[in-house]
Amino acid sequence: MFLGYVLAIAGAVVGAVLLVASTFNPPLFAGLRMTAAAVTAPVSSGLAALGSAGATVTGAIDGWVFAHAENAAMKRELAVTRPLLMQARTIAYDNRRLRALLAVRDRTAQPVVAARLVSSTASSGRRFALLDAGRLHGIEIGMPVRGPDGLIGRVTETGPNAARVLLLSDTDSIVPVRRTRDGLPAIAAGRGDGLVDIRSVNTTNVRFDAGDVFVTSGTGGLYAPGAPVARVIASGADTVSARTFAHPDTLDFALVERPFIPVPPPAGLPTAAGR
């Protein structure tokens, strides 16, 4: 206890002396302060570096955890939105096709029915398509079939609720056409390989250029004039290959039309005017 009192009194005396000395002679302790600072500066610098490194490591860990969580959330969102995007694209595609088909219907006099193309032969030698409408819907043999992009073919067989369509690219298909830029008459004949041949009519050495567009001419009375048929692939003379505008394997709906000039009834049958 005595030693404690002695140390306390000595500390108080030393503190008082130092206080008086620092008040009346401040530069006296500058050397001591700088010596203490020189000793403590490396320790403070090391402690600051350790703190900065710890903060950097902590930030990197937090960033990795946040990025990992954000990446997982984005993957989940992508998995949810991908089917919606595919559905939206399908709806937009169908909408464009249906709008184009409605425009064709509005320009066509007395269309019979708009039906769905449920199948088509795209690789065999014969080229046919199947409609999901038939005699019950007013479809008859010989009626032209059009799509949003142009002529598809004509009906060759009918059932109660189905009809078979002979495509333009079939070898039995022959369509009278004309060139749009000068009205040159020609024949579009199917080749059986997805293309058609454009053949000149009653003339020779007729020149066809790549990109020539041919539409129905109305000759024969089956197809109404002006329906897009095919575009020439490569230049040539007399007979050239062309690609049809309508691609049945990519179509959803088609429009069945009445013949441009209806076939007269057989002799002996009463007509509508004579009833």
Side-chain angles (χ1 to χ4, degrees), residues 225-251:
V229 176
R231 186 192 302 273
V232 175
I233 299 175
S235 302
D238 295 338
T239 301
V240 293
S241 299
R243 192 179 306 277
T244 59
F245 287 102
H247 303 283
D249 54 335
T250 63
L251 295 178

Side-chain angles (χ1 to χ4, degrees), residues 117-131:
L117 277 168
V118 295
S119 66
S120 63
T121 55
S123 59
S124 64
R126 301 306 305 274
R127 302 291 170 133
F128 292 97
L130 188 66
L131 294 174

Side-chain angles (χ1 to χ4, degrees), residues 90-241:
T90 302
I91 293 175
Y93 174 79
D94 291 341
N95 189 30
R96 291 194 302 269
R97 291 290 186 181
L98 290 174
R99 284 180 179 272
L101 192 63
L102 287 174
V104 172
R105 187 191 66 179
D106 293 340
R107 296 193 302 265
T108 303
Q110 298 181 347
V112 176
V113 67
R116 183 184 292 273
L117 277 168
V118 295
S119 66
S120 63
T121 55
S123 59
S124 64
R126 301 306 305 274
R127 302 291 170 133
F128 292 97
L130 188 66
L131 294 174
D132 66 346
R135 290 193 301 269
L136 297 179
H137 304 86
I139 298 179
E140 299 176 358
I141 295 176
M143 287 185 171
V145 181
R146 286 185 61 176
D149 300 324
L151 187 66
I152 296 175
R154 69 177 189 273
V155 177
T156 57
E157 298 177 7
T158 59
N161 58 354
R164 199 179 192 196
V165 179
L166 181 72
L167 302 180
L168 294 180
S169 57
D170 189 85
T171 54
D172 286 346
S173 174
I174 296 179
V175 179
V177 295
R178 61 177 177 84
R179 190 160 55 186
T180 54
R181 61 185 174 91
D182 57 4
L184 176 72
I187 293 294
R191 297 177 20 162
D193 59 355
L195 303 177
V196 297
D197 283 334
I198 302 297
R199 303 171 182 171
S200 60
V201 178
N202 297 331
T203 55
T204 57
N205 297 324
V206 175
R207 183 68 184 178
F208 297 105
D209 296 328
D212 281 349
V213 175
F214 287 83
V215 298
T216 52
S217 63
T219 303
L222 178 60
Y223 305 104
V229 176
R231 186 192 302 273
V232 175
I233 299 175
S235 302
D238 295 338
T239 301
V240 293
S241 299

